[in-house]
Amino acid sequence: MNLAGLQKLTLLDYPDKTACSIFIAGCNFLCPYCHNPRFIAETHEDVVPIGEDVFFAFLQSRQGLIDGVCISGGEPLMFDEIFAFAAKIKELGFLVKIDTNGGYPGRLKKLVASGSVDYVAMDIKNTLEKYPETIGMPDYDTAAVKESVEYLLSDVVSYEFRTTVLCGFHTKDDLCEIARMIKEAGKYYLQGFDGSKETLCDNLTAYSEAELRELCTCVREILPCTELRGM
């Protein structure tokens, strides 16, 4: 795996925990609004890889100082090496959270069954009908996403669902349909799009905070656990 970035401390990415975040380059989606576009390809001229020895030396220096590690991307579950990587983090005594787009349900199930992950955050990109255009892949089959959603809803591991919301991609009806799809979820977050960050495509428009709050209120009528994040 290509370790492409390290955030040495985050108080936001792992709920109620202090953590660091490691970013793995390579993704199976091409979301136009991706805020980590340099991590879509496994290699990028502007990204200097971090050696695993360097990363694990850093973790050893943080034992007793932080609670966990967030494994993000890109899409970490693209790689078979994720199992040994997560297990090694657990062996050092850290909690492990993994961010995923749900495209690899088999690896997700195997990782959870191994005991090497404590928390899963899955992005719900849009309604199933709108998935292909939202992830930039016109022929995408959403069967894997549906399988990952159903697996997490079985409560085998602590988890959350989240959707990054922006104009031109998500309407109130879309978000309400997503809420119905995950109606048994315990945590669902709507995240505002940050137009100040580098994205894969230009000319994308964010909803205002007031608009997001109104959307959240509507979705909450279907899924009461829905919250805004990043406001």
Side-chain angles (χ1 to χ4, degrees):
M1 294 187 302
N2 188 348
L3 307 186
L6 173 64
Q7 183 178 357
K8 294 183 177 181
L9 178 65
T10 174
L11 304 178
L12 300 175
D13 291 336
Y14 199 136
D16 303 318
K17 305 293 181 184
T18 57
C20 69
S21 292
I22 186 71
F23 298 90
I24 297 172
C27 189
N28 55 319
F29 289 175
L30 294 169
C31 303
Y33 55 92
C34 178
H35 66 274
N36 284 333
R38 294 181 303 159
F39 299 161
I40 291 176
E42 291 185 44
T43 59
H44 192 286
E45 60 183 8
D46 294 334
V47 176
V48 178
I50 301 167
E52 286 199 20
D53 55 342
V54 173
F55 172 65
F56 282 107
F58 162 77
L59 279 190
Q60 288 174 329
S61 75
R62 293 301 189 272
Q63 287 176 307
L65 299 176
I66 61 174
D67 301 313
V69 177
C70 302
I71 306 175
S72 192
E75 173 50 52
L77 292 179
M78 276 185 66
F79 306 99
D80 283 330
E81 293 89 343
I82 189 64
F83 303 109
F85 185 71
K88 190 170 181 179
I89 294 172
K90 286 289 289 184
E91 287 170 5
L92 291 175
F94 295 98
L95 297 170
V96 175
K97 168 182 175 275
I98 193 157
D99 295 337
T100 182
N101 59 34
Y104 295 91
R107 289 192 181 125
L108 174 60
K109 293 175 184 179
K110 182 178 177 181
L111 188 63
V112 171
S114 75
S116 295
V117 64
D118 303 281
Y119 193 93
V120 177
M122 179 177 164
D123 291 311
I124 305 287
K125 301 297 185 178
N126 212 326
T127 66
L128 295 177
E129 182 180 358
K130 285 190 171 182
Y131 243 81
E133 64 179 284
T134 306
I135 65 171
M137 301 180 67
D139 299 321
Y140 186 73
D141 182 349
T142 59
V145 169
K146 289 188 286 186
E147 185 176 345
S148 292
V149 167
E150 290 169 2
Y151 177 67
L152 292 177
L153 287 174
S154 70
D155 287 323
V156 290
V157 66
S158 296
Y159 70 93
E160 67 180 53
F161 294 116
R162 58 198 188 183
T163 299
T164 299
V165 184
L166 66 161
C167 299
F169 286 84
H170 305 94
T171 65
K172 179 185 72 174
D173 289 343
D174 293 333
L175 297 174
C176 288
E177 185 173 335
I178 293 170
R180 284 187 285 268
M181 181 174 69
I182 59 170
K183 61 178 185 250
E184 297 173 357
K187 294 180 182 178
Y188 180 46
Y189 295 98
L190 302 183
Q191 302 178 156
F193 170 68
D194 185 351
S196 68
K197 292 184 177 180
E198 178 187 7
T199 54
L200 191 61
C201 296
D202 298 326
N203 302 317
L204 302 175
T205 305
Y207 281 107
S208 68
E209 181 175 343
E211 289 170 327
L212 284 171
R213 292 192 182 281
E214 183 177 348
L215 289 169
C216 187
T217 297
C218 295
V219 176
R220 205 176 275 147
E221 293 178 3
I222 299 167
L223 189 59
C225 67
T226 306
E227 300 288 344
L228 284 180
R229 177 179 279 163
M231 293 295 100

